[in-house]
Amino acid sequence: MRSDVALLPLDRPLLTALLAVAVAEADPTEVMPPVPDPTGGDGWTAERRAAFLRFHAWRSLPPDPVESTYAITVAGRVAGAARLCPRPDRDSDRKRERPGTVEAGTVEAGLWIGRSHRGAGVGGTVLRLLIDRARADGHDRLYLSTTPENTAMRHLMAGLGLTGTQGEFAL
């Protein structure tokens, strides 16, 4: 595990630094939900930059946030983001009973890392830090998912005994 990797709770100054890293080292589709641009532009348009800030401010910065988001730092510099989010209860949605409730003890983890830090062991360290944080917060299960082409994340998931592109495991 790399000793120079840390997770810092997201705040406004870190959000600004996170946007700078996202613009310089990631594609918008790697770091946030898709945002159509009215001008039809590709990449980090002004609309996508504003949407990135709104998305994270809404989900992570209010007093009662939707999820816990962290700036990933490597040697003190922001390199990406990681998150833990309570997982919606799939059974309540299927039964139409109390839709939107949360599975007790289960959190979903997510992360993205800027290109200059990929392939250097940062992802594995971040995943271990997220597991430790989820345990410390009292969660007993962690859910992970990725895309078929994200071989790095699939490799990390396989190290936890997960095959395919999604799964959960006991902490």
Side-chain angles (χ1 to χ4, degrees):
M1 188 155 110
R2 290 184 55 158
S3 61
D4 62 340
V5 175
L7 300 179
L8 302 178
L10 192 66
D11 60 17
R12 290 225 179 256
L14 283 172
L15 179 54
T16 300
L18 193 59
L19 174 61
V21 171
V23 169
E25 298 199 25
D27 186 87
T29 60
E30 296 174 322
V31 302
M32 67 179 191
V35 174
D37 189 282
T39 67
D42 290 328
W44 282 102
T45 63
E47 178 57 34
R48 289 193 182 103
R49 290 172 193 233
F52 179 92
L53 295 172
R54 282 191 310 270
F55 175 78
H56 285 292
W58 166 69
R59 292 190 59 89
S60 305
L61 298 182
D64 189 20
V66 173
E67 65 188 19
S68 298
T69 301
Y70 307 93
I72 299 168
T73 62
V74 177
R77 298 187 59 139
V78 174
R83 66 181 177 83
L84 290 172
C85 183
R87 184 132 162 85
D89 186 343
R90 296 175 307 256
D91 290 332
S92 71
D93 288 339
R94 265 187 255 139
K95 296 175 188 175
R96 303 239 182 253
E97 297 171 10
R98 296 176 29 222
T101 59
V102 172
E103 284 185 41
T106 302
V107 289
E108 180 176 359
L111 63 113
W112 66 266
I113 299 167
R115 288 184 192 101
S116 67
H117 295 284
R118 294 177 188 171
V122 174
T125 299
V126 168
L127 189 53
R128 285 190 284 284
L129 291 170
L130 285 173
I131 289 168
D132 291 346
R133 196 163 298 246
R135 281 186 184 129
D137 290 346
H139 301 289
D140 56 16
R141 298 194 67 73
L142 187 76
Y143 175 82
L144 297 166
S145 66
T146 191
T147 59
E149 54 277 351
N150 190 339
T151 56
M153 186 61 181
R154 290 179 61 207
H155 178 74
L156 291 174
M157 290 169 65
L160 298 170
L162 302 174
T163 58
T165 59
Q166 61 182 352
E168 65 181 60
F169 67 97
L171 296 174

